[in-house]
Amino acid sequence: MELCTHNLGYPRIGPNRELKRALESYWKGEAALDSLLQVASELRRQAWARQKAAGIRWIPTGDFSLYDHVLDTSALVGAVPPRFGSVGGEVSIDQLFAMARGLLEREQTRGTQGPAPMEMTKWFDTNYHYIVPELKPGQSFQLSSQKPFAEFLEARQAGFPAKPVLLGPISFLRLSKVEGNEDAAQLLPALLPVYQEILRRFSELGCEWIQIDEPTLVLDLPPSFQKALSVAYDGLRSAAPNLKLLLATYFGPLRDNLEAAFSLPVDAVHWDATRAGSELESVLSALPPNMILSLGVVDGRNVWRNDFAESLRSIERALAAVGQERLWLAPSCSLLHVPVSLEGEKRLDPELRSWLAFAYEKLREVDLLARLTLRDPASLSALEENRRVLESRRQSNRVHDPAVAQRVTAVGPLDLQRKSAYPARRKAQRGRSPLPLLPTTTIGSFPQTAEVRKARARWRAGGLTTTEYESFLEGEIRQVVDLQEEIGLDVLVHGEFERNDMVEYFGEQLAGFAFTEGGWVQSYGSRCTKPPIIFGDVSRPKPMTVRWSQFAQSLTQKPMKGMLTGPVTILQWSFVRDDQPRATTARQIALAIRDEVADLEKAGLSAIQIDEPALREGLPLRRADWPAYLTWAVEAFRLSASVVADSTTIHTHMCYSEFNDIIDAIAALDADVISIEASRSSMELLHAFVHFRYPNEIGPGVWDIHSPRIPSTEELAEGIRRALTVLPAAALWVNPDCGLKTRNAAEVVPSLRHMVEAARRVRKQLAEKGESVS
């Protein structure tokens, strides 16, 4: 008998980003709601059919979302902040979008702001963003969405063996933000009846299995949540005794939560064997006699082909312990985090392509592993082919560069530090480029218009010569420099019109990287990225950004920032090779960025920004593992930045980061200026600086660029004033919270004008009090 297979979740965006286009058409008013829903329905049907074709027995439903599955859960349980209107019978789709991003573009009129959207942050240590549930003490909940039931029936009526997926009550509460920082676990008694009602409804609909995701079991759980866990699942079990419950954990080992997870009254537990493989014996020992174990044997987070021999060792050990009827196979987690399929990748080098597996191919691997346990001749030939491909990767000269390895080995302590301490550097920097109190700047990118994207596409297709394309880019840079000077910004940027993506652009120019045509993954909502693939040793063959930054600086007497992506972010936002430590790859990238920093300085740039928005998200999920990561991550940044003279200002940028826990490490970066996302959380991130005296300069983003809202001058001024309650004026910069690439000029220009005017307004108030630059 072949092992049972299932999947935890499938990419939502479609093979050609159909969902992105449908969403944006609806938001702009170019398409009706029925059109959006039709696209969504077709994408679900295609996904179910593909999973069935791959040999998957139980196919997930409810994993599809028009924006975010955590936001969907907020809607499901009626957790809608009052500013978005009453729930009524059911949360509407437009309410859902307002919660995520503010007013739709088609709803905006001049002077209409609408409610501020809910906070967004990273989903565990992935590059996916979720909408943080907003709760309050005494929060009430009610069943307020029919989405999970409708999609289950839709799949079943189409003939697919459906397994609904829910974000579990413990994870929902643990990932929420409760007003006043109250303990979210105290809200379980109010939330649990809604989950019980959901399970009863599924049972009445004839559902056999339901998957309840509890990824927070791989985190350090406070005692209140440890207690709530058993209460929650006792309540769920009693609500629907005939419904089979699959508890899904993923993203890491269970460690101290292992015994608790396997003692819950559920019928099966899914366990991530790719990230927690060392726990296998403990898992087998803890597994109750009648419980099914789901082994997540295929990595749902990376794009490398599975090592069948290694996976089979785990599978066979589990088989020996529990038998075929109690063992299921699956990917390690939802396949949301990898591209849809390799089928459209016609330009990838055949050898490199043979090393890869995307979502569809990963499901084929799960099915093949299930068949390999039967040792049939067809599957055994696939085992030999898998061994041959993996060996070719291990031995490939394309992967290993002795010169890079030698350079990494030669890095010493002096390569990791600036020539002087910050006070001496600040004096040298202000002498070179005098700035007013509360200097204004942006994070780097300006809107990527349709004309910019069209010109890039034409150039890549051969419709524009390189000379014509570069002339076009120079025109765009000239316009944006003129605009910034007219608005009155103090430190300018060149707009990054030549860049498709802040990581992909650099990867295209670095050795050791490969790129796909359609390897898109969802970042949030309609926002998709196409991560590079780091397959080999990394080096920089030639300068990457100098030509554009030097041209922009020639257009103005004001300081121009050279714009780079930092080594940790390039690492985090790529699919990273799995055959050497991540720290080694980060140091290779840092040396490549260091070369670029040196060339920018030689070209006359007095300010260089090395963005590290992914530094916080790279933290291991368990606090005990943080120190080792932070050590090599900080060293990688310092290695990239420490080559410059004292008079050159090093900026860095971070977003979606909760800084309190790692503020010492952020200070250890020793950047002269750090800009952070702060506006969407109502400047809550500034709490990190109440008890920690940040030694250098900081720009807490005062304008949330992830919403189409145009903030007023006074709103921005108030954000600056809040920042001044915890930061000295001499150390404070004024900037948006992120790059402006995804916004349009109609939003960006007035918002920047308001921001500059807000800085001037507060600057004047400070001058009246006798404050000045020191």
Side-chain angles (χ1 to χ4, degrees):
M1 183 178 69
E2 189 174 310
L3 294 177
C4 181
T5 60
H6 73 109
N7 186 27
L8 278 72
Y10 201 70
R12 308 158 179 163
I13 58 175
N16 297 300
R17 292 183 293 163
E18 291 89 345
L19 181 60
K20 170 187 175 65
R21 296 181 178 89
L23 282 169
E24 292 175 358
S25 293
Y26 175 69
W27 292 339
K28 293 174 184 176
E30 298 170 353
L33 179 59
D34 285 348
S35 176
L36 170 62
L37 296 180
Q38 180 59 41
V39 170
S41 177
E42 178 59 23
L43 287 175
R44 288 194 295 271
R45 188 198 64 78
Q46 290 178 11
W48 297 331
R50 292 287 280 171
Q51 292 173 81
K52 186 175 182 179
I56 299 303
R57 168 68 179 89
W58 289 106
I59 295 170
T61 64
D63 56 323
F64 180 86
S65 176
L66 289 174
Y67 203 97
D68 162 52
H69 60 281
V70 184
L71 177 65
D72 289 345
T73 308
S74 293
L76 177 64
V77 301
V80 178
R83 66 182 181 277
F84 299 106
S86 61
V87 172
E90 184 166 357
V91 177
S92 72
I93 287 176
D94 282 358
Q95 267 184 304
L96 198 78
F97 290 146
M99 292 161 69
R101 59 193 307 276
L103 282 181
L104 304 185
E105 284 85 340
R106 59 181 168 78
E107 296 175 325
Q108 295 178 41
T109 58
R110 183 171 294 277
T112 301
Q113 298 299 310
M118 294 164 66
E119 188 176 342
M120 180 163 53
T121 195
K122 293 296 177 72
W123 174 248
F124 293 80
D125 58 349
T126 76
N127 193 33
Y128 176 79
H129 305 65
Y130 75 94
I131 302 297
V132 181
E134 287 183 24
L135 309 177
K136 61 181 184 294
Q139 175 84 38
S140 61
F141 300 95
Q142 64 185 71
L143 183 59
S144 301
S145 172
Q146 299 302 309
K147 176 183 180 296
F149 313 116
E151 291 180 7
F152 168 72
L153 291 174
E154 182 184 349
R156 192 173 66 177
Q157 289 165 5
F160 297 104
K163 169 173 60 70
V165 177
L166 288 176
L167 179 62
I170 298 301
S171 292
F172 175 76
L173 290 173
R174 186 77 173 90
L175 297 172
S176 298
K177 176 178 286 188
V178 182
E179 184 181 310
N181 293 320
E182 296 286 330
D183 183 2
Q186 304 305 315
L187 296 176
L188 180 64
L191 177 65
L192 186 56
V194 180
Y195 270 85
Q196 291 175 311
E197 183 179 355
I198 292 167
L199 265 56
R200 283 192 291 268
R201 288 283 301 276
F202 273 120
S203 183
E204 292 165 1
L205 292 173
C207 178
E208 183 175 349
W209 279 96
I210 186 166
Q211 173 185 319
I212 305 178
D213 285 1
E214 293 287 10
T216 52
L217 290 178
V218 304
L219 303 178
D220 298 309
L221 282 183
S224 60
F225 275 92
Q226 294 173 4
K227 180 180 179 181
L229 181 65
S230 59
V231 173
Y233 281 83
D234 286 343
L236 295 180
R237 178 76 286 165
S238 65
N242 297 322
L243 184 61
K244 295 178 182 178
L245 308 183
L246 167 64
L247 175 75
T249 72
Y250 40 83
F251 294 156
L254 291 167
R255 295 186 185 174
D256 55 325
N257 296 323
L258 190 150
E259 293 291 339
F262 284 94
S263 66
L264 296 175
V266 297
D267 301 280
V269 172
H270 173 81
W271 171 75
D272 184 344
T274 67
R275 287 196 160 197
S278 61
E279 284 188 340
L280 179 58
E281 292 304 321
S282 297
V283 165
L284 295 175
S285 297
L287 190 73
N290 297 318
M291 185 180 287
I292 290 171
L293 174 63
S294 166
L295 279 185
V297 289
V298 172
D299 188 356
R301 291 280 300 275
N302 215 330
V303 295
W304 303 106
R305 196 163 177 171
N306 183 264
D307 185 335
F308 286 171
E310 182 178 340
S311 294
L312 283 170
R313 283 191 285 272
S314 297
I315 294 169
E316 288 167 357
R317 174 67 188 94
L319 272 173
V322 305
Q324 285 185 319
E325 292 186 358
R326 292 176 55 213
L327 187 66
W328 289 13
L329 298 185
S332 62
C333 61
S334 169
L335 298 175
L336 168 71
H337 309 289
V338 294
V340 176
S341 176
L342 275 168
E343 291 172 344
E345 301 298 332
K346 308 303 183 185
R347 297 179 187 172
L348 268 179
D349 174 89
E351 182 185 33
L352 177 59
R353 191 180 191 276
S354 73
W355 300 343
L356 304 176
F358 291 173
Y360 176 69
E361 291 76 27
K362 288 180 182 295
L363 294 180
R364 296 290 299 271
E365 289 181 328
V366 170
D367 175 61
L368 188 52
L369 284 167
R371 289 189 282 115
L372 276 167
T373 62
L374 302 178
R375 299 291 177 179
D376 65 282
S379 62
L380 290 176
S381 66
L383 179 63
E384 173 56 26
E385 192 265 345
N386 178 264
R387 185 204 63 77
R388 180 187 59 77
V389 168
L390 296 181
E391 184 61 23
S392 77
R393 180 184 168 205
R394 280 190 286 267
Q395 300 298 327
S396 175
N397 292 331
R398 303 169 63 187
V399 172
H400 306 289
D401 183 342
V404 174
Q406 184 177 6
R407 192 179 180 198
V408 168
T409 302
V411 170
L414 292 179
D415 297 313
L416 306 178
Q417 61 187 48
R418 298 285 292 274
K419 294 179 178 65
S420 303
Y422 166 72
R425 300 199 309 260
R426 178 182 169 93
K427 183 177 180 181
Q429 291 158 17
R430 287 297 193 262
R432 181 178 180 181
S433 303
L435 293 170
L437 196 68
L438 308 180
T440 57
T441 189
T442 66
I443 302 305
S445 62
F446 266 70
Q448 290 255 333
T449 63
E451 290 76 15
V452 169
R453 293 192 295 271
K454 181 178 178 181
R456 184 185 303 124
R458 287 186 62 200
W459 171 64
R460 293 197 172 200
L464 284 179
T465 66
T466 296
T467 300
E468 290 171 331
Y469 179 56
E470 291 184 348
S471 177
F472 168 80
L473 292 176
E474 286 181 351
E476 295 294 307
I477 292 171
R478 191 181 300 275
Q479 289 180 36
V480 84
V481 170
D482 289 345
L483 173 65
Q484 292 172 88
E485 289 204 311
E486 187 266 321
I487 288 174
L489 289 160
D490 299 305
V491 176
L492 313 187
V493 297
H494 78 283
E496 303 181 15
F497 301 108
E498 78 283 8
R499 305 182 190 185
N500 45 4
D501 175 84
M502 67 180 291
V503 171
E504 185 176 14
Y505 174 78
F506 290 95
E508 287 176 334
Q509 302 179 77
L510 294 169
F513 282 74
F515 297 87
T516 62
E517 293 176 75
W520 297 96
V521 294
Q522 185 182 27
S523 179
Y524 61 87
S526 68
R527 173 73 169 149
C528 303
T529 62
K530 189 152 59 71
I533 298 169
I534 305 177
F535 69 88
D537 290 336
V538 178
S539 61
R540 186 198 72 145
K542 61 182 181 180
M544 301 179 287
T545 67
V546 174
R547 186 249 192 274
W548 304 113
S549 293
Q550 190 173 33
F551 173 73
Q553 183 64 83
S554 73
L555 302 175
T556 180
Q557 296 299 310
K558 289 188 172 183
M560 177 67 59
K561 283 193 293 188
M563 302 300 305
L564 302 174
T565 302
V568 175
T569 297
I570 291 177
L571 183 86
Q572 283 292 129
W573 293 359
S574 300
F575 291 119
V576 184
R577 58 189 294 190
D578 57 357
D579 60 341
Q580 71 178 14
R582 291 171 71 87
T584 302
T585 305
R587 184 156 285 202
Q588 292 178 357
I589 301 169
L591 286 168
I593 298 300
R594 181 183 179 92
D595 293 341
E596 188 72 11
V597 168
D599 283 345
L600 283 168
E601 185 179 50
K602 290 175 186 174
L605 276 295
S606 63
I608 301 169
Q609 183 168 308
I610 307 172
D611 287 343
E612 284 292 21
L615 182 76
R616 174 63 172 80
E617 81 182 44
L619 273 177
L621 297 176
R622 294 292 188 132
R623 188 178 291 268
D625 301 326
W626 287 10
Y629 162 76
L630 288 171
T631 296
W632 64 254
V634 168
E635 287 183 353
F637 179 87
R638 292 176 68 119
L639 179 60
S640 71
S642 295
V643 69
V644 298
D646 289 349
S647 59
T648 298
T649 306
I650 293 293
H651 293 246
T652 191
H653 169 67
M654 298 178 184
C655 53
Y656 304 113
S657 293
E658 296 173 2
F659 295 110
N660 304 54
D661 294 331
I662 61 167
I663 191 67
D664 290 329
I666 291 173
L669 296 175
D670 199 27
D672 298 301
V673 184
I674 176 175
S675 55
I676 61 172
E677 183 276 332
S679 59
R680 195 154 200 178
S681 61
S682 300
M683 310 301 274
E684 286 184 12
L685 292 178
L686 292 174
H687 294 167
F689 304 102
V690 172
H691 302 292
F692 182 90
R693 179 73 163 96
Y694 189 73
N696 303 356
E697 299 166 56
I698 186 166
V702 296
W703 160 31
D704 172 20
I705 69 90
H706 299 90
S707 166
R709 292 179 70 248
I710 298 172
S712 68
T713 298
E714 183 52 34
E715 178 183 337
L716 296 171
E718 182 55 32
I720 298 170
R721 295 186 194 105
R722 283 201 297 273
L724 286 168
T725 64
V726 295
L727 295 168
L732 189 64
W733 286 63
V734 177
N735 47 260
D737 64 1
C738 206
L740 307 176
K741 175 183 175 181
T742 60
R743 301 267 58 93
N744 60 55
E747 300 157 356
V748 163
V749 174
S751 296
L752 283 178
R753 292 190 194 281
H754 295 171
M755 188 186 81
V756 170
E757 178 55 34
R760 288 172 177 164
R761 185 177 295 180
V762 179
R763 196 179 293 151
K764 181 179 178 182
Q765 293 167 351
L766 291 173
E768 292 170 352
K769 296 177 182 179
E771 296 270 6
S772 62
V773 177
S774 59

